[in-house]
Short mmCIF file of all heavy atoms in Angstrom, two decimals:
data_model
loop_
_atom_site.label_atom_id
_atom_site.label_comp_id
_atom_site.label_asym_id
_atom_site.label_seq_id
_atom_site.Cartn_x
_atom_site.Cartn_y
_atom_site.Cartn_z
N GLY A 189 0.41 6.91 -10.63
CA GLY A 189 1.17 5.68 -10.47
C GLY A 189 0.82 4.88 -9.23
O GLY A 189 1.26 3.74 -9.07
N ILE A 190 -0.01 5.45 -8.36
CA ILE A 190 -0.32 4.77 -7.09
C ILE A 190 -1.08 3.46 -7.29
O ILE A 190 -0.72 2.45 -6.69
CB ILE A 190 -1.05 5.72 -6.12
CG1 ILE A 190 -0.08 6.82 -5.70
CG2 ILE A 190 -1.58 4.96 -4.90
CD1 ILE A 190 -0.71 7.91 -4.86
N PRO A 191 -2.14 3.41 -8.12
CA PRO A 191 -2.84 2.11 -8.27
C PRO A 191 -1.93 0.98 -8.74
O PRO A 191 -1.98 -0.13 -8.20
CB PRO A 191 -3.94 2.42 -9.28
CG PRO A 191 -4.20 3.89 -9.13
CD PRO A 191 -2.84 4.48 -8.84
N ASP A 192 -1.09 1.24 -9.74
CA ASP A 192 -0.19 0.20 -10.24
C ASP A 192 0.84 -0.20 -9.18
O ASP A 192 1.16 -1.38 -9.03
CB ASP A 192 0.54 0.66 -11.49
CG ASP A 192 -0.40 0.73 -12.70
OD1 ASP A 192 -1.44 0.04 -12.69
OD2 ASP A 192 -0.07 1.47 -13.65
N ALA A 193 1.35 0.78 -8.43
CA ALA A 193 2.32 0.49 -7.38
C ALA A 193 1.69 -0.36 -6.28
O ALA A 193 2.29 -1.32 -5.80
CB ALA A 193 2.88 1.79 -6.79
N LEU A 194 0.47 -0.02 -5.90
CA LEU A 194 -0.24 -0.77 -4.87
C LEU A 194 -0.53 -2.19 -5.35
O LEU A 194 -0.32 -3.17 -4.62
CB LEU A 194 -1.53 -0.07 -4.48
CG LEU A 194 -2.34 -0.68 -3.35
CD1 LEU A 194 -1.52 -0.76 -2.07
CD2 LEU A 194 -3.60 0.11 -3.11
N LEU A 195 -0.97 -2.34 -6.58
CA LEU A 195 -1.28 -3.65 -7.14
C LEU A 195 -0.04 -4.54 -7.19
O LEU A 195 -0.10 -5.72 -6.82
CB LEU A 195 -1.89 -3.51 -8.53
CG LEU A 195 -2.35 -4.79 -9.20
CD1 LEU A 195 -3.46 -5.46 -8.38
CD2 LEU A 195 -2.83 -4.50 -10.60
N ALA A 196 1.08 -4.00 -7.63
CA ALA A 196 2.32 -4.78 -7.72
C ALA A 196 2.74 -5.27 -6.33
O ALA A 196 3.13 -6.42 -6.16
CB ALA A 196 3.43 -3.95 -8.35
N ARG A 197 2.64 -4.40 -5.34
CA ARG A 197 3.03 -4.77 -3.98
C ARG A 197 2.06 -5.80 -3.40
O ARG A 197 2.46 -6.76 -2.76
CB ARG A 197 3.09 -3.53 -3.09
CG ARG A 197 4.30 -2.67 -3.38
CD ARG A 197 4.13 -1.30 -2.73
NE ARG A 197 5.32 -0.51 -2.78
CZ ARG A 197 5.74 0.14 -3.85
NH1 ARG A 197 5.07 0.09 -4.97
NH2 ARG A 197 6.85 0.86 -3.81
N PHE A 198 0.76 -5.60 -3.62
CA PHE A 198 -0.25 -6.53 -3.13
C PHE A 198 -0.03 -7.91 -3.72
O PHE A 198 -0.04 -8.91 -3.00
CB PHE A 198 -1.65 -6.01 -3.48
CG PHE A 198 -2.75 -6.89 -2.98
CD1 PHE A 198 -3.21 -6.78 -1.67
CD2 PHE A 198 -3.33 -7.85 -3.80
CE1 PHE A 198 -4.22 -7.60 -1.21
CE2 PHE A 198 -4.33 -8.68 -3.34
CZ PHE A 198 -4.78 -8.55 -2.04
N ASN A 199 0.18 -7.98 -5.02
CA ASN A 199 0.38 -9.27 -5.69
C ASN A 199 1.66 -9.96 -5.27
O ASN A 199 1.77 -11.17 -5.39
CB ASN A 199 0.33 -9.09 -7.21
CG ASN A 199 -1.06 -8.84 -7.71
OD1 ASN A 199 -2.04 -9.19 -7.08
ND2 ASN A 199 -1.17 -8.21 -8.87
N SER A 200 2.63 -9.21 -4.76
CA SER A 200 3.89 -9.81 -4.32
C SER A 200 3.72 -10.53 -2.98
O SER A 200 4.53 -11.38 -2.63
CB SER A 200 4.97 -8.75 -4.18
OG SER A 200 4.81 -7.99 -2.98
N GLY A 201 2.69 -10.17 -2.22
CA GLY A 201 2.50 -10.75 -0.90
C GLY A 201 3.42 -10.17 0.16
O GLY A 201 3.46 -10.64 1.28
N ASP A 202 4.16 -9.12 -0.19
CA ASP A 202 5.12 -8.50 0.72
C ASP A 202 4.45 -7.36 1.48
O ASP A 202 4.28 -6.26 0.97
CB ASP A 202 6.31 -7.98 -0.09
CG ASP A 202 7.43 -7.42 0.78
OD1 ASP A 202 7.23 -7.25 2.00
OD2 ASP A 202 8.51 -7.16 0.23
N VAL A 203 4.04 -7.63 2.73
CA VAL A 203 3.33 -6.64 3.54
C VAL A 203 4.19 -5.40 3.77
O VAL A 203 3.69 -4.28 3.72
CB VAL A 203 2.89 -7.26 4.88
CG1 VAL A 203 2.27 -6.21 5.78
CG2 VAL A 203 1.90 -8.39 4.64
N ASP A 204 5.47 -5.59 4.02
CA ASP A 204 6.35 -4.44 4.26
C ASP A 204 6.40 -3.52 3.04
O ASP A 204 6.42 -2.30 3.18
CB ASP A 204 7.76 -4.90 4.62
CG ASP A 204 7.82 -5.56 5.99
OD1 ASP A 204 6.99 -5.22 6.86
OD2 ASP A 204 8.68 -6.43 6.19
N ALA A 205 6.39 -4.10 1.86
CA ALA A 205 6.39 -3.28 0.64
C ALA A 205 5.10 -2.48 0.52
O ALA A 205 5.12 -1.33 0.10
CB ALA A 205 6.59 -4.16 -0.59
N MET A 206 3.99 -3.06 0.91
CA MET A 206 2.71 -2.35 0.86
C MET A 206 2.70 -1.19 1.84
O MET A 206 2.18 -0.12 1.55
CB MET A 206 1.55 -3.29 1.15
CG MET A 206 1.31 -4.25 0.04
SD MET A 206 -0.33 -4.95 -0.04
CE MET A 206 -1.40 -3.58 0.12
N GLN A 207 3.28 -1.39 3.01
CA GLN A 207 3.27 -0.35 4.03
C GLN A 207 4.05 0.89 3.59
O GLN A 207 3.79 1.98 4.08
CB GLN A 207 3.81 -0.89 5.34
CG GLN A 207 2.85 -1.85 6.00
CD GLN A 207 3.39 -2.43 7.29
OE1 GLN A 207 4.59 -2.47 7.52
NE2 GLN A 207 2.49 -2.87 8.14
N ASP A 208 4.97 0.74 2.66
CA ASP A 208 5.72 1.89 2.16
C ASP A 208 4.83 2.93 1.50
O ASP A 208 5.19 4.10 1.41
CB ASP A 208 6.78 1.45 1.15
CG ASP A 208 7.93 0.71 1.79
OD1 ASP A 208 8.10 0.80 3.02
OD2 ASP A 208 8.67 0.02 1.05
N LEU A 209 3.65 2.52 1.05
CA LEU A 209 2.74 3.45 0.37
C LEU A 209 1.79 4.16 1.33
O LEU A 209 1.03 5.02 0.90
CB LEU A 209 1.92 2.71 -0.68
CG LEU A 209 2.71 2.16 -1.87
CD1 LEU A 209 1.77 1.42 -2.80
CD2 LEU A 209 3.42 3.27 -2.61
N TYR A 210 1.80 3.81 2.60
CA TYR A 210 0.87 4.39 3.55
C TYR A 210 1.58 5.27 4.55
O TYR A 210 2.63 4.90 5.08
CB TYR A 210 0.11 3.28 4.31
CG TYR A 210 -0.85 2.54 3.42
CD1 TYR A 210 -0.45 1.38 2.77
CD2 TYR A 210 -2.13 3.00 3.23
CE1 TYR A 210 -1.32 0.70 1.93
CE2 TYR A 210 -3.01 2.32 2.40
CZ TYR A 210 -2.60 1.17 1.76
OH TYR A 210 -3.46 0.51 0.94
N ALA A 211 1.01 6.42 4.84
CA ALA A 211 1.54 7.32 5.87
C ALA A 211 1.24 6.69 7.23
O ALA A 211 0.24 5.98 7.39
CB ALA A 211 0.88 8.68 5.77
N PRO A 212 2.09 6.94 8.23
CA PRO A 212 1.87 6.35 9.56
C PRO A 212 0.51 6.68 10.16
O PRO A 212 -0.06 5.88 10.89
CB PRO A 212 2.99 6.95 10.41
CG PRO A 212 4.04 7.36 9.44
CD PRO A 212 3.31 7.72 8.17
N GLU A 213 -0.05 7.83 9.81
CA GLU A 213 -1.36 8.22 10.36
C GLU A 213 -2.53 7.79 9.48
O GLU A 213 -3.68 8.11 9.76
CB GLU A 213 -1.40 9.73 10.60
CG GLU A 213 -1.36 10.56 9.35
CD GLU A 213 0.04 10.84 8.81
OE1 GLU A 213 1.05 10.34 9.33
OE2 GLU A 213 0.12 11.56 7.82
N ALA A 214 -2.27 7.01 8.43
CA ALA A 214 -3.32 6.57 7.52
C ALA A 214 -4.32 5.66 8.24
O ALA A 214 -3.99 4.96 9.19
CB ALA A 214 -2.72 5.83 6.34
N VAL A 215 -5.56 5.69 7.77
CA VAL A 215 -6.63 4.87 8.33
C VAL A 215 -7.29 4.11 7.19
O VAL A 215 -7.56 4.67 6.13
CB VAL A 215 -7.67 5.76 9.05
CG1 VAL A 215 -8.85 4.95 9.55
CG2 VAL A 215 -7.03 6.52 10.20
N PHE A 216 -7.55 2.82 7.40
CA PHE A 216 -8.23 1.98 6.42
C PHE A 216 -9.66 1.78 6.89
O PHE A 216 -9.90 1.42 8.04
CB PHE A 216 -7.51 0.63 6.31
CG PHE A 216 -8.12 -0.30 5.31
CD1 PHE A 216 -8.00 -0.08 3.95
CD2 PHE A 216 -8.81 -1.43 5.73
CE1 PHE A 216 -8.55 -0.93 3.02
CE2 PHE A 216 -9.37 -2.29 4.82
CZ PHE A 216 -9.23 -2.05 3.46
N VAL A 217 -10.62 2.01 6.02
CA VAL A 217 -12.04 1.86 6.36
C VAL A 217 -12.48 0.49 5.85
O VAL A 217 -12.57 0.26 4.65
CB VAL A 217 -12.90 2.98 5.75
CG1 VAL A 217 -14.36 2.78 6.11
CG2 VAL A 217 -12.41 4.33 6.22
N THR A 218 -12.75 -0.43 6.79
CA THR A 218 -13.15 -1.78 6.42
C THR A 218 -14.64 -1.89 6.13
O THR A 218 -15.05 -2.66 5.26
CB THR A 218 -12.79 -2.77 7.54
OG1 THR A 218 -13.44 -2.38 8.75
CG2 THR A 218 -11.29 -2.82 7.75
N ASN A 219 -15.45 -1.18 6.85
CA ASN A 219 -16.90 -1.11 6.67
C ASN A 219 -17.30 0.30 7.02
O ASN A 219 -16.57 1.00 7.75
CB ASN A 219 -17.61 -2.08 7.61
CG ASN A 219 -17.38 -3.52 7.24
OD1 ASN A 219 -17.60 -3.93 6.11
ND2 ASN A 219 -16.92 -4.32 8.20
N PRO A 220 -18.45 0.77 6.56
CA PRO A 220 -18.88 2.12 6.94
C PRO A 220 -18.84 2.29 8.47
O PRO A 220 -19.43 1.50 9.21
CB PRO A 220 -20.29 2.21 6.41
CG PRO A 220 -20.31 1.27 5.25
CD PRO A 220 -19.41 0.13 5.67
N GLY A 221 -18.05 3.23 8.92
CA GLY A 221 -17.95 3.52 10.34
C GLY A 221 -16.92 2.70 11.09
O GLY A 221 -16.72 2.89 12.27
#
Side-chain angles (χ1 to χ4, degrees):
I190 293 173
D192 288 337
L194 184 59
L195 184 62
R197 286 166 171 78
F198 181 84
N199 287 337
S200 77
D202 185 350
V203 174
D204 291 331
M206 289 203 48
Q207 289 179 337
D208 289 343
L209 294 178
Y210 291 92
E213 67 275 4
V215 176
F216 181 72
V217 179
T218 58
N219 291 307

